[in-house]
Amino acid sequence: MAIDDLIQDATRRMDKSVESTHNEFNTVRTGRASAALLDRVNVDYYGQPTPLKQLATINVPEPRMLTVQPFDPSSIKAVERAIQESDLGLTPSNDGKLIRLPIPQLTEERRKDLVKVVRHLAEEGRVAVRNVRRDVMHHLKELVRDGDVGDDEERRAEDRVQKLTDEHVHRIDELLKRKEAEITEV
């Protein structure tokens, strides 16, 4: 019974790692404008790092343009600075009420940089999945040490956990392949 609980927990945590990796991929800029690009941007708002989407309305009026309209007009400078300092490579222009972010065509060099960023994010996701596997293997060893399960059961459970790990790493690799294709597509 304890083994099934461990494996269910591992599945849930690995699914979360894959989902998190997928969300990180959405914040990486491709040639198209998407409000998700700004998800990682934090603004220094009254001394607190605050996610941009909590401070402003983000719209996509055209395929290569984002607009950011802060709820508090006095924070427009801080929002503009946060966008400039982010790793997105966007140049904001502000008219006092609204910040416009034209999304430039990606250069070949920028595409290569973005592919590196995405590969790094994918590796972080794989590491997170492997950490879950390590935790579960540790708990299995404890169960054997305490005499709650036998060696054979432990071996079968380890095989199940390894299959689960391979499955989730494969899902991350698939996401990576899709995102790389999206970035390199001209």
Side-chain angles (χ1 to χ4, degrees):
M1 195 62 216
I3 289 178
D4 288 339
D5 290 345
L6 276 175
I7 289 178
Q8 267 183 334
D9 180 53
T11 305
R12 195 179 66 253
R13 287 168 54 199
M14 287 181 185
D15 285 344
K16 277 185 186 168
S17 296
V18 171
E19 185 62 33
S20 170
T21 302
H22 185 252
N23 290 338
E24 285 291 315
F25 282 176
N26 286 341
T27 67
V28 174
R29 176 164 88 81
T30 57
R32 291 179 220 94
S34 155
L37 291 177
L38 300 174
D39 282 355
R40 286 186 303 173
V41 176
N42 284 316
V43 179
D44 184 26
Y45 188 63
Y46 292 111
Q48 292 295 315
T50 310
L52 176 59
K53 60 184 174 184
Q54 289 180 10
L55 296 175
T57 307
I58 302 168
N59 290 314
V60 186
E62 20 182 297
R64 306 189 72 66
M65 173 77 72
L66 283 174
T67 60
V68 179
Q69 186 166 19
F71 303 129
D72 173 8
S74 68
S75 68
I76 199 160
K77 285 280 182 226
V79 170
E80 192 176 18
R81 190 174 327 108
I83 293 169
Q84 274 176 331
E85 291 170 357
S86 71
D87 62 352
L88 296 172
L90 297 176
T91 309
S93 67
N94 127 34
D95 66 6
K97 287 185 172 56
L98 190 71
I99 297 175
R100 285 184 179 72
L101 294 167
I103 308 287
Q105 268 307 64
L106 292 174
T107 62
E108 193 57 38
E109 191 177 317
R110 184 70 180 138
R111 286 178 201 279
K112 287 178 182 162
D113 289 346
L114 289 175
V115 166
K116 283 180 192 167
V117 167
V118 168
R119 285 183 179 156
H120 178 72
L121 293 172
E123 186 53 36
E124 285 177 359
R126 288 188 208 104
V127 167
V129 167
R130 290 188 204 114
N131 285 342
V132 173
R133 178 189 63 191
R134 190 193 60 221
D135 286 352
V136 171
M137 295 297 200
H138 176 75
H139 288 302
L140 284 171
K141 298 249 184 288
E142 280 180 358
L143 287 174
V144 170
R145 200 173 36 238
D146 298 344
D148 294 338
V149 295
D151 287 341
D152 291 346
E153 289 177 65
E154 180 203 16
R155 220 164 287 114
R156 275 195 295 276
E158 283 180 357
D159 288 345
R160 283 171 64 190
V161 171
Q162 187 57 50
K163 276 194 186 103
L164 205 58
T165 304
D166 295 343
E167 209 174 278
H168 285 80
V169 166
H170 179 71
R171 281 172 45 195
I172 289 175
D173 290 341
E174 287 299 309
L175 289 171
L176 173 64
K177 219 177 287 173
R178 234 178 294 143
K179 190 65 179 184
E180 280 184 354
E182 193 180 305
I183 289 171
T184 54
E185 160 197 320
V186 179

